[in-house]
Amino acid sequence: MKFKLENKDQHSKARAGEIQTDHGLIQTPIFMPVGTAGSVKAVHQRELTYDVKAQIILGNTYHLYLRPGLEVLEKAGGLHKFMGWSSPILTDSGGYQVFSLEGNRKIKEEGVVFKSHIDGSKHHFTPESVMDIQRTIGADIIMAFDECTPFPCDWSYAKNSMHLTHRWLKRCIDQFDNTSGKYGYSQSLFPIVQGSTFKDLRMDAARFVSDQDREGNAIGGLSVGEPAEMMYEMTDLVTDILPEDKPRYLMGVGTPANILEGIALGIDMFDCVMPTRNARNGMLFTSEGIINIRNERWKMDFSPLDSGFDSHVSNFYSKAYLRHLTISKEMLAAQIASIHNLSFYLWLVTQAREHIQAGDFTTWKNAMVEKVSRRL
Ligand code: PRF
């Protein structure tokens, strides 16, 4: 993997760059659609490429390990071949998913013991096994095994947890560096900065992670219920410490406004279930603001979902039609809404990139945050 920093904004920490992987180029800042179990829900691969214009998607170690399992993935020749996606893939380590199995998991020094949400069977994840699993899945970028602290969380819990994440990181790096990719292309390991909402811990974690000198770095443990201002404050502290010449990934973020503010704070990569999950509940993110498509207000509105940018689905179908499909529980509703929301997210980060390159990012961003946050 190679990262090239192309432009820096004069009035913020925003950057435009390029990540070259063996599965192609990623132009940053970028949003990565979430494809937890080998599918971006309700959106097939051709639509992801040609409508959404996704450059990289996410997979999840926990889900893929449980189903279809490693035997199938290895036999298929890795996740890219299995799902028919030849662009880059990033896999999350499963730590986050396992920790959200409240009551069904136990954290120890060695790793985590957990029960499957599918059949209740017992499994172990260790930093080593999670590296091996991600080697078998075959993502271009793989994540270290970390503990994501809940919010709120007291300082001493956050400190101990951060140190455990750091010891696990060392073990991930050892395992990763002593193994190689199984399918003939290279993989990169990103460590994760934790430290909850404590400035001293966040700074310690950012220094520790930077010292590992990997090809990119991530920030975890945010967007877990803390106020947005706190998330921005922590991100700002951490991006001041992380190396400038490597991509920075803010995990699980967020709303369109969160993403624009994250870009202004020097973040290059984002992922979130919000555009797809909320689409399935009838929430649309548009260039004019946020729409609940079930609302009576759209019953007779035959205008396009969004005419603010070029997208077949967003320009072609009307609000009234999507409202009807949603209320009738038609499967096409989830498809149209998901493609629209993802197209909008990808358009938004592409616009951010163009404004960084043009030198007017900050004024554009401030106006856009206001626009995309409105409830219509
Ligand atoms: N760690 C991992 N994945 C994550 C997170 C984390 O802290 C978050 C937090 N927003 C989302 N996904 N491994």
Side-chain angles (χ1 to χ4, degrees), residues 248-261:
R248 303 164 179 158
Y249 164 28
L250 183 56
M251 307 187 78
V253 173
T255 63
N258 293 157
I259 288 173
L260 294 175
E261 298 297 356

Side-chain angles (χ1 to χ4, degrees), residues 110-333:
E110 178 56 19
V112 180
V113 182
F114 62 95
K115 279 200 183 131
S116 158
H117 72 287
I118 301 168
D119 61 3
S121 57
K122 197 172 142 184
H123 301 264
H124 299 253
F125 271 175
T126 64
E128 293 79 14
S129 74
V130 162
M131 292 300 101
D132 294 346
I133 296 168
Q134 292 184 93
R135 286 291 197 194
T136 300
I137 296 170
D140 301 271
I141 299 173
I142 76 171
M143 302 306 298
F145 195 52
D146 60 328
E147 183 187 1
C148 175
T149 45
F151 179 83
C153 168
D154 65 53
W155 184 84
S156 66
Y157 185 93
K159 178 169 180 260
N160 291 331
S161 167
M162 179 193 78
H163 285 134
L164 179 67
T165 289
H166 293 172
R167 291 191 298 278
W168 284 356
L169 174 57
K170 285 287 195 188
R171 287 167 56 190
C172 285
I173 290 173
D174 271 352
Q175 185 70 11
F176 181 81
D177 287 348
N178 286 305
T179 53
S180 50
K182 295 186 169 179
Y183 311 112
Y185 50 85
S186 73
Q187 297 180 285
S188 305
L189 168 64
F190 283 20
I192 303 171
V193 174
Q194 290 288 343
S196 186
T197 49
F198 303 101
K199 290 188 192 178
D200 56 339
L201 300 182
R202 281 284 169 187
M203 288 162 72
D204 285 351
R207 285 189 206 101
F208 185 88
V209 159
S210 302
D211 287 345
Q212 307 310 309
D213 198 22
R214 305 309 299 190
E215 292 169 283
N217 300 295
I219 307 175
L222 294 176
S223 200
V224 291
E226 78 285 6
E229 286 312 317
M230 218 175 240
M231 166 168 80
Y232 300 147
E233 190 187 5
M234 295 299 130
T235 303
D236 196 11
L237 272 177
V238 171
T239 55
D240 273 344
I241 295 169
L242 292 178
E244 187 159 68
D245 60 347
K246 292 171 183 180
R248 303 164 179 158
Y249 164 28
L250 183 56
M251 307 187 78
V253 173
T255 63
N258 293 157
I259 288 173
L260 294 175
E261 298 297 356
I263 292 171
L265 294 169
I267 299 293
D268 308 298
M269 303 161 74
F270 302 86
D271 79 283
C272 193
V273 294
M274 195 175 269
T276 39
R277 181 176 293 165
N278 291 19
R280 298 195 298 278
N281 295 322
M283 184 191 271
L284 298 194
F285 297 98
T286 79
S287 58
E288 296 295 321
I290 300 169
I291 289 178
N292 178 349
I293 201 67
R294 309 180 75 96
N295 201 306
E296 177 83 20
R297 169 167 180 196
W298 313 115
K299 186 176 177 179
M300 295 289 188
D301 188 329
F302 302 102
S303 68
L305 297 175
D306 196 339
S307 47
F309 63 101
D310 186 31
S311 149
H312 170 69
V313 161
S314 317
N315 304 160
F316 187 78
Y317 295 106
S318 70
K319 298 183 183 80
Y321 180 57
L322 182 58
R323 177 176 185 271
H324 157 70
L325 294 180
T326 305
I327 287 171
S328 314
K329 297 192 166 60
E330 286 290 337
M331 286 193 284
L332 188 57

Side-chain angles (χ1 to χ4, degrees), residues 359-368:
D360 65 350
F361 171 76
T362 301
T363 37
W364 171 82
K365 185 268 289 179
N366 289 337
M368 206 62 187

